[in-house]
Amino acid sequence: MSHSASTDESAHPAPYRDRVRSVELAFATLAPPLAWSVHLVASYALASYSCFPDGTPQASPSFDGLRSLLIAIDIVTMAIAVVAIVISYWNWTKISEEMAVTQSPMMETGEGRTRFLAIWGLLIGVGFLVTVGFDFVGLWILQPCG
């Protein structure tokens, strides 16, 4: 592969990588799906145990605070997604002007790794916020054991 004469071979493909912390990028990309997984398992366990305590369907939950507990789980999960969105956006603003330092295709140089993770953290956070938001609305509209 030929490079232009003005390309600095020693330049790092992500020169602004020191502006963001890896743990923040990891949190923003991993925390929302992990929180949603815990949300899904916990909500299913609580609702199924409360609505089918002995294996037969109940008209109302055996646990009076079921709806409140499910709402609290949704709120915590949405809060984690919002924190991931804020962290991702904050990181992206710090590195959004990171420019390519080579003429090589991005796949070969790894250019923009930090921007890639920041944008994906933002997309993942928004996606899981919307997903849990639909569940949250359903808790207000539908009967707990309906």
Side-chain angles (χ1 to χ4, degrees):
M1 168 109 14
S2 64
H3 295 277
S4 66
S6 64
T7 301
D8 181 7
E9 294 289 335
S10 64
H12 195 279
Y16 295 171
R17 69 194 179 284
D18 59 337
R19 294 183 182 181
V20 296
R21 295 179 15 202
S22 296
V23 70
E24 291 174 350
L25 294 171
F27 174 84
T29 55
L30 298 175
L34 290 174
W36 179 77
S37 297
V38 170
H39 158 272
L40 188 64
V41 170
S43 295
Y44 180 78
L46 290 168
S48 63
Y49 179 74
S50 185
C51 293
F52 300 90
D54 59 356
T56 58
Q58 304 294 313
S60 63
S62 61
F63 172 58
D64 290 332
L66 176 65
R67 181 174 282 180
S68 298
L69 188 56
L70 295 176
I71 288 171
I73 291 170
D74 278 1
I75 290 171
V76 169
T77 307
M78 289 189 294
I80 291 170
V82 168
V83 169
I85 291 167
V86 169
I87 288 172
S88 293
Y89 182 75
W90 184 53
N91 282 333
W92 183 78
T93 58
K94 292 191 286 186
I95 57 176
S96 64
E97 295 177 7
E98 186 175 64
M99 303 304 287
V101 293
T102 67
Q103 298 299 323
S104 299
M106 190 166 71
M107 288 292 288
E108 293 179 16
T109 63
E111 179 264 323
R113 290 180 285 236
T114 49
R115 283 183 295 155
F116 176 80
L117 288 172
I119 288 295
W120 269 105
L122 192 60
L123 292 172
I124 289 168
V126 168
F128 281 101
L129 180 64
V130 169
T131 300
V132 178
F134 279 114
D135 183 63
F136 184 73
V137 170
L139 290 173
W140 294 98
I141 296 172
L142 304 172
Q143 295 297 320
C145 293

